[in-house]
Amino acid sequence: MGRKTALAGWLRELDAGQIRDILALRKDAADRRPSSLRALADELTTTASVRAAVDELDQGCRDVLDTALRLGDEAGVEALAERLRCNGKASRAELKRALGALRARALVWPAAGRLVCSPGLRPLEDEPPRRITPAPRAARRVPQDRGFADRAAITPATSTVDGVTRLVDLCDVELVACRGVVGLRELRRLAALLRADEGRARLWVGLAVEARLLAVDDGRLVPTVRSDAWRAESPADRLASLARAWPRLTWTPGRQRPASAEVSSSDSGDRTRRGLLERYARLGADEAYEHRHEVVAELVWALPAAHGRAATEAALVEAESVGLVALGAATALGRAVLAGGVAEVAGRFVPPAATTAHLRPDLTAVVAGLPSRELSAVLDLAADGTAGGWRFSGGSVRRALDAGHEPDALLARLASVAEHGVPPTLAHLVREVARQHGRITVTPVASCVRAEDPALVSEIAAHPALAQLALQPLGPTVLASTKPAAETLALLRAAGYAPTTSTADGTAVVERVPRRRVEPPPVRGATGGWRAPLTEQELAKLAAALVERERPRPKFVLPPAESQRMGAVRLLRDQSLVLRDSEVVLLAEALVSRTSVEIAVANGPRTTVKHVITPVDHAAGNLKANCAPRGEHREFPVSRIRSVRAVTGV
């Protein structure tokens, strides 16, 4: 007998309550609404259902199941106890608990004094377990005001919103190579540009992709059409989008790997992240875990299929970075991610967007909080981003002047966002760079170098570092170059000059990086047909129906008179085409009980003759009866009877 048949036989021995408990733990099989216990056994032994059931086991149950699989036909309670060295009372109790959990999930069941394992199972570990892994010490809890965790999460949450914002802006102007994943070398380059470590940059890429802000297009990572609206939202709304995206990240946290740029993945990182957040959300209103390693150890033992130690610790770091966990407790934002209402609480974890900056005399700019999009645009125009804000330099100011901005207009824009005005050192830097800027222009004729000062032109023509340009004088203020305009510009700047580009008629050219937008990938949906999971009442009803269907039913035997009556009704209905059903039943009742009825028999095409008869027999389509009042015996063809009426007093 196969193990699937053995499972069906064992299920038939259970009552409705036990079947309901199995359906509650194996809801994937229950959701298919099996029609019999044999069909339930088929559903419980599918590969997907067995894998899902095993993934929900704790480490102790996995040790017992692994040992039972290795014992095979020799598996039994005593054999398991001997193999796993269950010699003490505690270890025996743990073995009993594990077997109960396996039996409740229909993974192991008793049969003929031994234990049978569900088909489709294989040993779970490379090495056989020597003992049942004991449960770790429960994570200790300490009292703590919930407001402490919320306030501590403000700084990391703000940093994450700022980092993802800068990442989206960077991908708008910088070519980030990506073919499904951002390679390690490219990820490190991206981290350096964002002034972050590699792990934080990987998290930001994952959040931006999962929130559908970035997508892969033609081998590069570019913003989507959704990114502009997200960038224009308040910091609270941006944080809400990222917080909702974090539990959906499917790549395994903690591994040094390329950053995934795909929304879907075959990894189970989403189970790790959500399981961690759910564990912290179980704390009371004013409680916190005292030691994070105890929480990790508890999760690793309780659900090893989803929680490795390194992955769970890395997921905890990510949760703290997004502001979902802080100081050993789930924040209001973390609880809202699980229960809903993220938008209502996100405003407590990030300050409003700042519209002004503090321009310091040391040529740096500092923003209190997250800069608005307009403030970032002004500072990025003439300053370079640093770890603490922005820094102005000759190169950054020259970049703004190269883009066509006049020095007075540039200082006016900086003054409009300066909280305490433009310091004299910054104004002096802008004017000094502007004084030297534009003394040389390069016109793409193939190409020409022009300057108003003939002495400067002569100096450039004789410069040894520019010999490869093969400059030839075309006039007192014009030199011809054999190199294209872009290469000529680069060589002149490398030689210490500050040229600008212009068209053939002398109009300044403002270089802009083309902005690309792509459609975000479609939201991944559930495969196959969707059906709402069964409620507790529906599970109980299904279990009762399955058990009831397997009970042997007594064979119902009609009484002889009733059986004779039903047979007479069928025959008379077949032989008469004009009698109503009620008349057929009345005539059959008279035949069985030997009672009198009045019948009308056809006598010619339009006339009938009535007789009061007592039927005594029926054969060959004829009804034999005794006629009142003299009691003579006659036969009447059933096909000629036109009506039947009950009579009394005969």
Side-chain angles (χ1 to χ4, degrees):
M1 181 173 61
R3 282 183 287 176
K4 188 179 295 186
T5 304
L7 175 58
W10 175 66
L11 293 174
R12 292 187 181 98
E13 299 174 2
L14 306 180
D15 58 29
Q18 293 169 317
I19 296 294
R20 181 203 57 210
D21 294 341
I22 292 176
L23 293 174
L25 292 173
R26 302 286 295 274
K27 286 192 175 181
D28 56 329
D31 289 342
R32 297 185 178 276
R33 294 168 172 82
S35 58
S36 65
L37 290 179
R38 173 66 191 196
L40 175 59
D42 292 338
E43 296 296 341
L44 291 174
T45 53
T46 61
T47 303
S49 181
V50 170
R51 183 185 300 114
V54 172
D55 286 348
E56 294 176 354
L57 298 176
D58 59 52
Q59 188 59 55
C61 292
R62 290 172 69 94
D63 292 339
V64 174
L65 178 59
D66 192 285
T67 304
L69 290 170
R70 295 177 188 274
L71 288 173
D73 294 338
E74 299 178 0
V77 177
E78 293 304 321
L80 285 172
E82 181 180 356
R83 182 67 63 90
L84 293 171
R85 303 177 186 175
C86 299
N87 302 320
K89 184 177 180 181
S91 58
R92 280 277 183 171
E94 180 62 16
L95 175 61
K96 181 179 180 180
R97 181 201 69 84
L99 287 175
L102 295 173
R103 185 169 56 251
R105 290 171 172 80
L107 294 173
V108 174
W109 61 90
R114 64 187 185 91
L115 297 174
V116 182
C117 298
S118 176
L121 287 170
R122 298 290 183 273
L124 309 180
E125 308 293 343
D126 295 334
E127 295 292 332
R130 298 181 178 181
R131 293 181 180 275
I132 300 177
T133 304
R137 175 180 180 176
R140 285 168 286 184
R141 305 182 182 191
V142 294
Q144 176 179 278
D145 186 87
R146 182 181 294 182
F148 292 170
D150 290 352
R151 288 190 290 273
I154 293 177
T155 298
T158 303
S159 176
T160 297
V161 175
D162 178 57
V164 176
T165 302
R166 289 189 288 114
L167 171 65
V168 174
D169 292 341
L170 180 64
C171 291
D172 203 9
V173 298
E174 184 81 14
L175 194 154
V176 180
C178 177
R179 296 192 179 276
V181 296
V182 179
L184 288 176
R185 180 177 297 179
E186 186 71 358
L187 183 64
R188 289 168 183 145
R189 185 182 73 89
L190 198 60
L193 293 174
L194 295 171
R195 306 178 302 280
D197 57 76
E198 183 182 324
R200 198 174 296 268
R202 183 183 290 107
L203 174 62
W204 292 349
V205 171
L207 290 173
V209 172
E210 188 62 42
R212 295 157 60 93
L213 306 175
L214 296 177
V216 181
D217 181 58
D218 194 22
R220 61 177 294 188
L221 199 60
V222 296
T224 66
V225 294
R226 293 169 53 94
S227 63
D228 292 323
W230 179 83
R231 186 67 178 84
E233 290 176 349
S234 66
D237 292 335
R238 280 182 272 168
L239 175 61
S241 298
L242 301 180
R244 283 190 290 262
W246 180 78
R248 302 196 304 265
L249 296 176
T250 53
W251 45 272
T252 303
R255 275 193 323 199
Q256 188 180 22
R257 58 187 298 277
S260 175
E262 296 179 351
V263 176
S264 60
S265 170
S266 59
D267 292 344
S268 59
D270 53 340
R271 294 184 61 200
T272 305
R273 293 177 174 88
R274 180 168 287 275
L276 172 77
L277 191 56
E278 288 174 347
R279 178 55 60 96
Y280 273 90
R282 294 178 190 173
L283 288 167
D286 294 311
E287 284 185 331
Y289 286 120
E290 185 176 6
H291 300 293
R292 57 194 296 145
H293 69 271
E294 293 179 347
V295 183
V296 173
E298 200 172 14
L299 284 170
V300 170
W301 183 88
L303 203 63
H307 292 281
R309 183 172 299 277
T312 306
E313 289 176 349
L316 180 54
V317 173
E318 291 180 1
E320 292 172 337
S321 298
V322 184
L324 309 180
V325 174
L327 299 181
T331 64
L333 181 64
R335 295 175 185 270
V337 167
L338 297 174
V342 177
E344 288 75 9
V345 302
R348 293 152 48 184
F349 293 85
V350 284
T355 57
T356 60
H358 178 35
L359 305 184
R360 294 176 172 176
D362 61 354
L363 301 180
T364 60
V366 178
V367 177
L370 293 173
S372 65
R373 193 167 192 176
E374 295 75 14
L375 177 59
S376 294
V378 173
L379 295 177
D380 290 339
L381 180 66
D384 296 318
T386 62
W390 283 263
R391 175 172 292 278
F392 295 91
S393 64
S396 65
V397 173
R398 183 169 60 248
R399 182 179 66 239
L401 300 179
D402 288 345
H405 296 278
E406 296 295 331
D408 292 336
L410 178 60
L411 288 173
R413 291 195 65 181
L414 292 174
S416 66
V417 299
E419 187 175 352
H420 303 291
V422 179
T425 52
L426 178 57
H428 176 74
L429 175 65
V430 172
R431 298 197 182 280
E432 181 63 22
V433 174
R435 185 179 64 82
Q436 300 181 4
H437 187 267
R439 296 176 64 190
I440 307 170
T441 61
V442 175
T443 302
V445 177
S447 58
C448 291
V449 180
R450 299 184 302 164
E452 297 180 359
D453 187 355
L456 180 59
V457 172
S458 300
E459 177 187 333
I460 293 173
H463 201 295
L466 302 175
Q468 55 182 311
L469 294 178
L471 297 172
Q472 298 294 327
L474 299 181
T477 58
V478 181
L479 294 173
S481 171
T482 60
K483 300 292 183 181
E487 191 171 347
T488 302
L489 277 169
L491 289 172
L492 283 170
R493 286 170 177 163
Y497 299 99
T500 59
T501 59
S502 65
T503 60
D505 60 0
T507 305
V509 176
V510 179
E511 298 177 355
R512 297 185 184 276
V513 177
R515 300 186 181 275
R516 302 173 61 181
R517 294 292 183 271
V518 296
E519 289 291 335
V523 179
R524 62 179 185 269
T527 58
W530 179 87
R531 179 182 280 179
L534 295 176
T535 63
E536 293 297 328
Q537 294 78 6
E538 289 173 330
L539 287 174
K541 185 177 179 180
L542 175 60
L546 292 175
V547 172
E548 182 67 25
R549 201 167 288 132
E550 296 292 332
R551 287 181 179 174
R553 298 181 180 276
K555 189 173 181 180
F556 180 72
V557 180
L558 290 172
E562 185 66 23
S563 177
Q564 186 178 0
R565 184 182 295 108
M566 293 181 65
V569 168
R570 285 194 296 268
L571 287 175
L572 292 173
R573 182 181 289 117
D574 293 340
Q575 294 169 2
S576 177
L577 301 177
V578 296
L579 292 179
R580 298 189 298 271
D581 288 345
S582 59
E583 294 174 322
V584 172
V585 172
L586 182 60
L587 186 59
E589 177 68 26
L591 177 62
V592 172
S593 60
R594 298 293 190 270
T595 57
S596 298
V597 292
E598 181 185 272
I599 62 173
V601 182
N603 185 22
R606 295 174 182 262
T607 61
T608 59
V609 178
K610 294 183 178 181
H611 301 275
V612 177
I613 65 170
T614 302
V616 296
D617 197 7
H618 172 248
N622 294 323
L623 186 66
K624 297 178 181 181
N626 296 324
C627 295
R630 292 188 294 272
E632 67 267 20
H633 188 74
R634 295 185 60 179
E635 290 189 6
F636 301 95
V638 177
S639 60
R640 296 183 63 184
I641 299 175
R642 296 294 181 261
S643 66
V644 180
R645 291 178 55 193
V647 296
T648 58
V650 178

